[in-house]
Amino acid sequence: MRFDTLSIHAGQKPDPATGALATPIYQTSTYAQDAPNVHKGYDYSRAANPTRQALEDNLAALEGVPFGVAFSSGLAATSAILNLLKSGDHVVAANDMYGGTYRLFRQLYEKYGIGFDFVDATKPADIRTAIRANTKLVWIETPSNPLLKITDIQAAADVAHAGGALLAVDSTLATPYLQRPFQLGADLVLHSTTKYLNGHGDVIGGAVLLKDKPLFDQLKFWQKSVGSVPSPLDAYLVLRGIKTLSLRMQKHSQNAQAVAEFLQAHPSVNAVHYPGLPSHPQHDLAKRQMTLFSGMIAVELRASFEQSMAFASGLDLFALAEDLGGVRSLACHPASMTHASVPREERLKNGFSDELIRLSVGIEDAADLIEDLKKALDKV
Ligand SMILES: Cc1ncc(COP(=O)(O)O)c(C=O)c1O
């Protein structure tokens, strides 16, 4: 089956009890057993729940792999992957990534004896140089948040595997509709389902997809033991969001392209980071690796810090808020919001300025979004 069919059908057979076609929200903590440990495959909802199972099967099918494990947030899913490691192991990670992932690595996992090196993952040679004998994981995020850098997944997989490490790809900004990391050699794919997969700004969730059964068993064990699971309602909402994923991603990408081109031509704009612009340093790679360029843009104005902040706060249709990937457009100041826990000197070294504004372009009418931006830019 092809993507659009899978997004609606995979994991979602009619309910065996009633024939309901919309996957029921199995809002139950537990399940009646016929005799001790004799049950219908479900004993307790921390371990398994039919609504969550439908979401896990659906996401696995969309990524084209046998296994999926859903979590209560993208960071809970990231944490599950990190727990495949042990003290003394080493991770090579991209230096441009979601600030919460960076915080989890540096402020939680480092203290358990896992070492991290952060490199420019757009250069496979830099990944290779950072790999050591104890490197077990290479962690990339592509497109990256907030600078929308594109990492060559195939090249990263080749260097990770040559060094005896697994490759994990945070593919949140692309979704399985725009990018297929497993076809390019990835071992683990992570999604914050909070973002485009759910797409409506009303759920926090995450998932890990994978091919390898022993690793899947370890992640399932972690999920059951720790209990960082999505609620049945949240699993239902993400499943529902996925039914329109391809339509939304087309519109997000189309709107973002129009907004990026508008911004690039505006005299008050200094730089626009969007993989769909020919000026983007990895535009050719993005064209090869993604089917469309998604809905995220980062922009720097020819303006003071104060004027940039006034611009971010002065938009009407773009609400100033954390989060991304929903139908409604958002603006964010990463340095003080989503990436506040990345040290300033690290950010500046990697080209991430104090003034950078991130836009999550929604699926409103692009002309209205551009008018909103124009109005705010004219005040700069
Ligand atoms: C690329 C990326 N990965 C992971 C996460 C973490 O996801 P969550 O907020 O669902 O924990 C985010 C959140 O913004 C993100 O942007």
Side-chain angles (χ1 to χ4, degrees):
M1 270 189 276
R2 293 163 184 81
F3 191 92
D4 284 354
T5 313
L6 286 173
S7 66
I8 288 164
H9 291 264
Q12 298 168 82
K13 297 187 187 66
D15 176 45
T18 62
L21 276 177
T23 304
I25 303 163
Y26 282 93
Q27 191 72 34
T28 184
S29 57
T30 193
Y31 310 81
Q33 306 201 7
D34 298 331
N37 206 27
V38 179
H39 52 73
K40 299 179 175 63
Y42 298 95
D43 57 359
Y44 190 60
S45 275
R46 175 160 33 72
N49 173 280
T51 318
R52 187 170 91 223
Q53 186 67 55
L55 173 63
E56 293 174 333
D57 292 349
N58 180 269
L59 285 170
L62 293 187
E63 286 290 5
V65 291
F67 306 115
V69 192
F71 291 94
S72 53
S73 70
L75 285 181
T78 305
S79 181
I81 294 179
L82 267 285
N83 271 275
L84 297 169
L85 308 181
K86 59 179 187 329
S87 177
D89 287 346
H90 175 251
V91 179
V92 176
N95 64 13
D96 194 58
M97 57 154 70
Y98 169 54
T101 310
Y102 180 88
R103 181 179 58 206
L104 184 71
F105 289 179
R106 298 301 307 272
Q107 294 185 31
L108 285 173
Y109 283 96
E110 254 180 16
K111 77 177 181 201
Y112 297 121
I114 295 175
F116 292 89
D117 272 310
F118 294 88
V119 301
D120 180 353
T122 64
K123 298 188 184 126
D126 288 14
I127 302 179
R128 185 185 302 114
T129 310
I131 290 180
R132 306 188 202 145
N134 60 340
T135 304
K136 297 288 162 53
L137 184 68
V138 171
W139 183 281
I140 62 171
E141 185 179 296
T142 184
S144 66
N145 179 2
L147 282 172
L148 287 320
K149 293 184 182 176
I150 307 293
T151 294
D152 185 332
I153 299 173
Q154 179 79 65
D158 291 347
V159 291
H161 296 157
L166 297 171
L167 177 72
V169 180
D170 182 338
S171 197
T172 298
L173 267 57
T175 81
Y177 183 59
L178 303 187
Q179 177 168 285
R180 309 308 301 268
F182 289 109
Q183 292 176 4
L184 302 169
D187 301 292
L188 298 147
V189 168
L190 174 121
H191 288 289
S192 165
T193 56
T194 313
K195 313 296 193 261
Y196 291 108
L197 289 168
N198 178 59
H200 294 73
D202 49 12
V203 164
I204 300 287
V208 181
L209 298 315
L210 71 169
K211 291 182 279 198
D212 183 83
K213 175 78 165 77
L215 287 180
F216 169 67
D217 290 341
Q218 287 182 58
L219 290 174
K220 278 307 269 186
F221 180 76
W222 168 263
Q223 183 198 42
K224 174 173 88 171
S225 305
V226 170
S228 45
V229 291
S231 72
L233 175 61
D234 285 355
Y236 167 85
L237 285 170
V238 179
L239 267 176
R240 178 175 161 128
I242 288 171
K243 291 188 169 60
T244 54
L245 180 67
S246 65
L247 299 174
R248 285 186 287 106
M249 292 318 290
Q250 289 170 34
K251 179 76 168 158
H252 280 295
S253 302
Q254 190 189 327
N255 279 2
Q257 186 76 35
V259 166
E261 285 171 9
F262 160 77
L263 289 171
Q264 196 172 42
H266 197 284
S268 301
V269 172
N270 189 30
V272 183
H273 306 261
Y274 182 64
L277 291 176
S279 58
H280 186 284
Q282 293 97 36
H283 176 63
D284 289 338
L285 170 61
K287 271 202 298 202
R288 285 202 304 279
Q289 189 165 278
M290 301 171 72
T291 48
L292 295 167
F293 304 107
S294 198
M296 298 300 299
I297 299 174
V299 58
E300 284 155 282
L301 306 185
R302 278 184 220 286
S304 66
F305 177 78
E306 289 70 26
Q307 286 173 312
S308 300
M309 296 310 98
F311 165 75
S313 326
L315 295 160
D316 290 325
L317 291 176
F318 288 81
L320 183 64
E322 303 216 4
D323 203 10
L324 61 91
V327 290
R328 182 188 170 138
S329 292
L330 301 176
C332 161
H333 175 237
S336 68
M337 295 167 67
T338 50
H339 292 69
S341 45
V342 181
R344 183 165 187 267
E345 59 283 9
E346 288 281 314
R347 283 197 286 104
L348 296 182
K349 201 173 68 192
N350 301 329
F352 168 177
S353 71
D354 288 339
E355 289 80 17
L356 190 82
I357 310 285
R358 194 189 74 185
L359 300 175
S360 174
V361 181
I363 64 168
E364 300 95 331
D365 191 307
D368 288 328
L369 298 177
I370 289 172
E371 267 173 35
D372 191 29
L373 291 163
K374 185 169 181 321
K375 205 173 56 184
L377 281 172
D378 289 346
K379 290 193 202 139
V380 167

